[in-house]
Amino acid sequence: MQSRPATARPGRPRSAAADAAILAATREALVELGWSKLTLGDVATRAGVAKTTLYRRWSGKNELVVDAVAELFDELRLPDRGSLAADIEGVVLQFAAILARPEARSGLMAVVAESTRDDALRERLRTSVVDRQKRLVVEGRVRAQCRGELPPESDAGEAARTVDLIFDMVAGAVVHRTLVSGHPADEEWVRGFTQVLLLGLTGAASGAPGE
Amino acid sequence: MQSRPATARPGRPRSAAADAAILAATREALVELGWSKLTLGDVATRAGVAKTTLYRRWSGKNELVVDAVAELFDELRLPDRGSLAADIEGVVLQFAAILARPEARSGLMAVVAESTRDDALRERLRTSVVDRQKRLVVEGRVRAQCRGELPPESDAGEAARTVDLIFDMVAGAVVHRTLVSGHPADEEWVRGFTQVLLLGLTGAASGAPGE
DNA sequence: TCGCTTTCGCTACGGGTCGTAGCGTAATGG
DNA sequence: CCATTACGCTACGACCCGTAGCGAAAGCGA
């Protein structure tokens, strides 16, 4: 069971403070410089560490920025606002607030672009960012089923496909609105979006319609 | 009135063939190398032109890739399939087919990421890519209104907001499905997506024709 | 307290790309 | 024929990359 000598390793342990400083410096550099002008040497200087220390922990710019941006999504929570519509609006507003921050705007789409040619990066992005968001969809569905707002799923495969569809619709719409159209996903927009999404779901996809 | 000496300019005219060769070489390099490893020197070599010629026409990598990727969306058409649902499915499938091509996957998200810090690039992206897509939404709505599938808009402002919402939902969902979730937006997915979207918009169950 | 191990800061380096300047030549129009 | 512009080519300084090597520092076990 000692196949993880992570803590039982001899020698000087790695500084956890350095990790935090590097990730914070990365976000700071993303705000000031953006993705393309961000250099690892500059990040190391901002963090007060040597460039070699940075390279010992991250293999490159992509991996570093993924981790730096992923921390922004830690604050995502599923609020209990009493109804499915209100819950969706709440979590979407949180998501929009994160995407409104410049460090997320500059970094997130860049690593998504890079992940289209790097399977390892895609996996890292999936586990540390995407899956954490998707879990909120699953939780929200369960809660709505407990409330009786959604029927319990009959087919597991159909249910999984529905979760994927909802997730792509929610995250995709907010990202597109914020980063491509360039308009803020404010309360008015979120209200209209939730209305369309929820009306489309409660009548159609929840319970295996045409079968 | 001769403030546009675009054609009446003395001297040797610019080679239109060089423009096409450069853009084609850019797409080729995007496929082989991806965004981050693409260099302007390599593109110039592939196109058979000098690097300086490339810099005389494009100010940098961002602008070049925007133009190269924008040409991919020229083939987008709004098909007339008889019903609003079928029209949406058709255009979404076209959009998904473009996003499935590696030169679009690598380039599009990268320029979107860069455009978050470059207003001129954002404007270029908007006029040459985004607005062209959004027009399809407007056309599709007009056609559906002629068919009687959608009511004519009462408020112009409300109608514009609805178009923006639909556009962000459609484009965002397809992009997120393809590039973030990493799954193809195939016919089955498009059918489910269209069903949810259309039900959410009209509020009435639109029976899928042909089934 | 003493070694062993690993990390850390620092310097230096070759390699690559960037974006521009300069030059001579090619192509078009008056 | 001449002015004007585009083109190909070379060269250049500047910057960043990613790594190697070194001595010092920080834990851990004996």
Side-chain angles (χ1 to χ4, degrees):
Chain A
M1 214 20 152
Q2 49 192 6
S3 62
R4 286 285 302 271
T7 59
R9 182 169 41 181
R12 176 178 177 176
R14 287 190 173 174
S15 164
D19 270 31
I22 291 173
L23 292 176
T26 303
R27 287 188 289 270
E28 181 185 314
L30 276 177
V31 174
E32 291 183 18
L33 306 173
W35 163 270
S36 58
K37 296 184 185 297
L38 180 146
T39 67
L40 295 191
D42 180 68
V43 170
T45 303
R46 289 172 187 266
V49 301
K51 193 171 59 165
T52 46
T53 299
L54 207 157
Y55 274 101
R56 287 190 190 99
R57 309 182 183 204
W58 286 277
S59 58
K61 189 166 155 178
N62 295 333
E63 289 73 16
L64 174 63
V65 173
V66 168
D67 288 3
V69 173
E71 286 192 340
L72 296 175
F73 293 91
D74 286 346
E75 61 192 55
L76 264 181
R77 293 289 182 275
L78 182 66
D80 195 335
R81 293 184 164 196
S83 74
L84 177 57
D87 285 358
I88 294 179
E89 289 181 11
V91 78
V92 168
L93 279 174
Q94 285 182 63
F95 190 52
I98 295 176
L99 285 185
R101 300 172 65 173
E103 59 268 39
R105 303 168 69 97
S106 332
L108 191 58
M109 283 300 100
V111 292
V112 168
E114 290 301 308
S115 73
T116 61
R117 311 205 96 253
D118 186 337
D119 290 335
L121 185 65
R122 164 184 295 276
E123 185 62 20
R124 196 187 192 105
L125 186 64
R126 197 181 65 79
T127 58
S128 57
V129 178
V130 179
D131 280 354
R132 217 173 300 185
Q133 300 170 12
K134 190 188 286 189
R135 185 135 55 110
L136 297 180
V137 177
V138 178
E139 290 180 15
R141 196 249 286 271
V142 170
R143 185 180 294 172
Q145 286 172 339
C146 292
R147 289 203 193 97
E149 295 177 286
L150 288 179
E153 60 258 31
S154 51
D155 181 13
E158 177 69 22
R161 276 194 296 272
T162 303
V163 167
D164 286 347
L165 176 62
I166 295 172
F167 176 58
D168 286 326
M169 287 184 73
V170 173
V174 176
V175 169
H176 199 274
R177 165 83 176 178
T178 306
L179 302 183
V180 179
S181 296
H183 303 136
D186 52 15
E187 282 201 27
E188 180 188 2
W189 182 87
V190 171
R191 199 154 29 228
F193 167 75
T194 304
Q195 194 173 345
V196 172
L197 178 70
L198 215 49
L199 182 58
L201 287 174
T202 53
S206 300
E211 297 169 343
Chain B
M1 217 18 149
Q2 49 193 5
S3 62
R4 286 286 301 272
T7 60
R9 182 169 41 182
R12 176 178 177 176
R14 285 190 175 175
S15 164
D19 269 33
I22 291 172
L23 292 176
T26 302
R27 287 187 290 268
E28 181 184 315
L30 276 177
V31 174
E32 291 185 19
L33 305 172
W35 163 269
S36 59
K37 295 184 186 298
L38 180 145
T39 67
L40 295 191
D42 180 66
V43 170
T45 303
R46 289 172 187 264
V49 302
K51 192 172 61 166
T52 46
T53 299
L54 208 156
Y55 274 101
R56 288 191 190 100
R57 309 182 182 206
W58 287 277
S59 59
K61 190 165 155 179
N62 295 333
E63 289 74 15
L64 174 63
V65 172
V66 168
D67 287 3
V69 172
E71 286 191 340
L72 295 175
F73 293 91
D74 286 345
E75 60 192 57
L76 264 182
R77 294 289 182 275
L78 183 65
D80 195 334
R81 293 185 164 195
S83 75
L84 176 57
D87 285 358
I88 293 178
E89 289 181 10
V91 77
V92 168
L93 279 175
Q94 284 183 63
F95 189 52
I98 295 176
L99 285 185
R101 299 172 65 172
E103 58 268 39
R105 303 168 71 95
S106 333
L108 191 58
M109 283 300 100
V111 292
V112 168
E114 290 301 309
S115 74
T116 61
R117 310 205 96 252
D118 185 339
D119 290 336
L121 185 65
R122 163 183 295 275
E123 186 61 20
R124 195 188 194 104
L125 186 65
R126 197 179 64 80
T127 58
S128 57
V129 178
V130 178
D131 280 354
R132 217 173 302 184
Q133 300 169 13
K134 192 187 285 188
R135 185 138 51 111
L136 297 181
V137 177
V138 179
E139 290 180 17
R141 197 248 285 271
V142 171
R143 184 181 295 173
Q145 288 173 336
C146 292
R147 289 202 192 99
E149 294 177 287
L150 288 178
E153 61 258 30
S154 51
D155 181 14
E158 177 69 22
R161 276 194 296 273
T162 304
V163 166
D164 286 347
L165 176 61
I166 295 173
F167 177 58
D168 286 327
M169 287 183 74
V170 172
V174 176
V175 168
H176 199 274
R177 165 82 176 180
T178 306
L179 301 184
V180 179
S181 296
H183 302 138
D186 52 14
E187 283 201 25
E188 180 187 359
W189 183 87
V190 171
R191 196 151 36 224
F193 168 74
T194 305
Q195 196 173 351
V196 172
L197 178 68
L198 215 50
L199 182 60
L201 288 175
T202 63
S206 66
E211 285 193 355

